[in-house]
Amino acid sequence: MSKQANQVTNRIKVADMPRRVKGSWTSMLSAPSTPAVQTVPSNEPLYCPTTRRIILISSVPGVVHGVVRTLSDACFDVMVFHRWEPEVQRHLGSDLLIYDLTATDPRRELLNIRNDLEHEYMKDTPVMYVVQDRMSVRAHELLPSEEVLVWPLASNQMVHDIERMIVRHPVISRQVAQTSRRTVFKDIWIDRDKMLVYKEENPLNLTKTEYDLLLKLIDSQGKVISREQMMHDIWETDFVGGSNVVDVHVKSLRKKLDDRPAEPEYIATVRGVGYRLAD
């Protein structure tokens, strides 16, 4: 390619790229007429070993594009809906529900919304509400402070508050977890489709047997599973005899989870019977 052609191509590429101005990013799009989230994305590409799912309900979704972009950059999968659709959203499964009330009167809407969300299929999902600054005092009177996000949103504070909300109120509905094909127990995350296991966002290198044992325990939801039952379900045999094969694999799994049998955080031993999830 000629030197002149290279110069033209480079000018086009530069023109299409976002421009960094005074520590923030701008694009070729015109500024929105409504407040947008204040974003300062990293210069380095971000790899997300696992993501968490957020459902965002907003009657004016165009206004919250910046919020969606910021949360996506912070390793969240964000699904946006115009309205509350319980039959759809309960099957999707989410780690957090964010309800945008900036275009409505929170005093009138809030109690009705909370009543709707108290149904059995959503009661274990933490909820946060976005309100205008002028309504923040009233919102804090009706809600715990951790459930309120005040518009306009500063990206760093928003992500911090959302992370804290999810950690303090983890989703524990087994039906939701199985439907979404992502299983969660404490700080362990399992992607069933890819057969991947993470602890505190760090991948664990489990064998197929260890993976099956962990799923068996989590799916039991705290019930005791006997060694005989594990042999039947995982090794497809009814022979136990003097074999300690189950104990050997549980010991190996515990080691990878950094779990101590004396003070179990994940797997508890039931003497003379088998194992269960730790409380």
Side-chain angles (χ1 to χ4, degrees), residues 5-278:
N6 276 327
Q7 292 174 344
V8 172
T9 302
N10 290 336
R11 285 199 299 271
I12 293 174
K13 290 180 178 179
V14 170
D16 288 339
M17 292 176 61
R19 302 189 301 273
R20 189 167 179 81
V21 181
K22 296 182 180 180
S24 62
W25 288 92
T26 63
S27 69
M28 300 304 293
L29 299 176
S30 59
S33 58
T34 53
V37 63
Q38 303 166 19
T39 61
V40 185
S42 169
N43 291 332
E44 299 295 330
L46 178 64
Y47 169 70
C48 300
T50 185
T51 59
R52 285 147 298 174
R53 180 175 293 175
I54 291 178
I55 291 178
L56 173 59
I57 301 175
S58 175
S59 59
V60 284
V63 176
V64 294
H65 280 168
V67 174
V68 175
R69 182 174 60 252
T70 297
L71 293 177
S72 297
D73 289 343
C75 291
F76 291 97
D77 291 329
V78 186
M79 294 172 289
V80 182
F81 293 85
H82 285 81
R83 61 186 64 83
W84 169 239
E85 299 282 357
E87 291 302 318
V88 175
Q89 290 149 12
R90 74 186 181 91
H91 287 294
L92 292 173
S94 63
D95 299 288
L96 180 69
L97 177 67
I98 299 179
Y99 220 116
D100 175 18
L101 298 177
T102 57
T104 61
D105 182 356
R107 292 172 297 185
R108 179 173 56 85
E109 298 285 343
L110 195 52
L111 295 179
N112 291 334
I113 292 172
R114 288 180 68 85
N115 289 336
D116 290 339
L117 297 178
E118 283 298 318
H119 289 338
E120 180 69 23
Y121 45 77
M122 288 298 293
K123 70 178 183 179
D124 292 322
T125 303
V127 184
M128 300 184 81
Y129 301 88
V130 182
V131 300
Q132 293 281 5
D133 181 62
R134 65 178 185 276
M135 298 302 303
S136 61
V137 174
R138 179 56 176 162
H140 281 96
E141 291 175 354
L142 298 173
L143 298 168
S145 296
E146 65 180 7
E147 296 183 11
V148 179
L149 295 171
V150 180
W151 187 270
L153 305 174
S155 61
N156 292 341
Q157 185 63 43
M158 175 186 66
V159 172
H160 171 75
D161 290 345
I162 288 173
E163 292 273 7
R164 182 176 58 183
M165 186 72 164
I166 291 177
V167 170
R168 292 182 61 180
H169 303 276
V171 177
I172 61 175
S173 170
R174 295 288 71 127
Q175 178 182 0
V176 170
Q178 291 173 2
T179 300
S180 66
R181 300 293 296 172
R182 292 173 62 246
T183 301
V184 181
F185 175 63
K186 295 185 177 178
D187 58 353
I188 297 175
W189 299 71
I190 302 176
D191 185 329
R192 290 176 180 255
D193 293 327
K194 298 180 180 179
M195 295 182 64
L196 298 176
V197 181
Y198 299 89
K199 180 185 175 187
E200 296 179 346
E201 311 299 336
N202 299 313
L204 298 180
N205 185 22
L206 302 186
T207 66
K208 175 63 165 57
T209 300
E210 292 164 352
Y211 175 83
D212 291 340
L213 277 171
L214 181 58
L215 275 186
K216 184 70 178 176
L217 288 165
I218 291 178
D219 288 344
S220 70
Q221 302 183 40
K223 295 179 182 178
V224 178
I225 306 177
S226 67
R227 291 176 176 84
E228 292 80 4
Q229 187 64 44
M230 287 184 177
M231 289 292 292
H232 179 272
D233 294 347
I234 297 175
W235 282 271
E236 298 182 353
T237 178
D238 293 326
F239 174 78
V240 180
S243 173
N244 66 341
V245 63
V246 174
D247 299 326
V248 169
H249 283 85
V250 169
K251 181 179 180 180
S252 177
L253 176 58
R254 277 173 163 162
K255 183 177 180 180
K256 292 180 180 180
L257 294 174
D258 196 22
D259 198 19
R260 293 177 295 174
E263 298 178 2
E265 185 178 355
Y266 305 106
I267 304 174
T269 301
V270 181
R271 292 187 179 276
V273 182
Y275 301 92
R276 64 173 177 82
L277 288 181

